[in-house]
Amino acid sequence: SSSSRMNLSAQEINGQNIWPPREFLNVEKTTPNRNLTKSGKIVSWTKLAAGGAPSEFSIRAPILDGISTVLVSLYDGPNGVFLVADDNVGTVGIGTVVDLVLRKIYAQDNYVKYGLKAITE
């Protein structure tokens, strides 16, 4: 669910953190959900050109010269893909340490979508 994604709520199974939690996993050694640390290192990154950005980013992409996304290996184990925050002033590259913050992802048709974005420390 979206709350598990935004809170980085993970399910621990056999000593391994699973994020987001999978309700259908019925394993004996499952522990209650716990929140992961909202920081990690960039494993990979890419930048969508303004012309290739999805419609919900059509206004911001040209202003930002594209939309950057990063694959982050969280310090608690799982990996996740996140947008880079629009106001991020640091350098984005492999091995860069990032923190995850709650920000607006996009607004479209009177609907505002929030989620985690990466910012460099």
Side-chain angles (χ1 to χ4, degrees):
S1 79
S2 59
S3 65
S4 294
R5 291 180 185 277
M6 286 192 274
N7 294 319
L8 286 179
S9 179
Q11 180 180 23
E12 187 177 327
I13 299 174
N14 298 326
Q16 182 179 7
N17 289 317
I18 307 294
W19 175 78
R22 312 297 199 272
E23 299 301 326
F24 59 85
L25 291 177
N26 189 6
V27 181
E28 289 181 22
K29 292 187 177 181
T30 300
T31 60
N33 292 357
R34 66 180 195 91
N35 292 343
L36 301 173
T37 305
K38 292 183 178 180
S39 58
K41 287 189 179 182
I42 295 175
V43 175
S44 183
W45 66 276
T46 189
K47 188 171 192 175
L48 277 172
S55 62
E56 57 267 22
F57 301 108
S58 62
I59 295 173
R60 288 192 358 244
I63 295 168
L64 300 171
D65 192 29
I67 302 292
S68 295
T69 59
V70 292
L71 173 63
V72 177
S73 178
L74 299 172
Y75 289 135
D76 294 328
N79 294 335
V81 176
F82 304 94
L83 289 170
V84 175
D86 298 347
D87 60 351
N88 188 67
V89 293
T91 305
V92 173
I94 294 174
T96 303
V97 174
V98 294
D99 289 325
L100 301 176
V101 293
L102 185 64
R103 297 283 173 88
K104 181 172 75 172
I105 303 292
Y106 64 86
Q108 187 178 39
D109 299 327
N110 296 322
Y111 177 75
V112 179
K113 171 84 173 171
Y114 288 90
L116 295 174
K117 286 189 176 183
I119 57 172
T120 55
E121 292 185 329

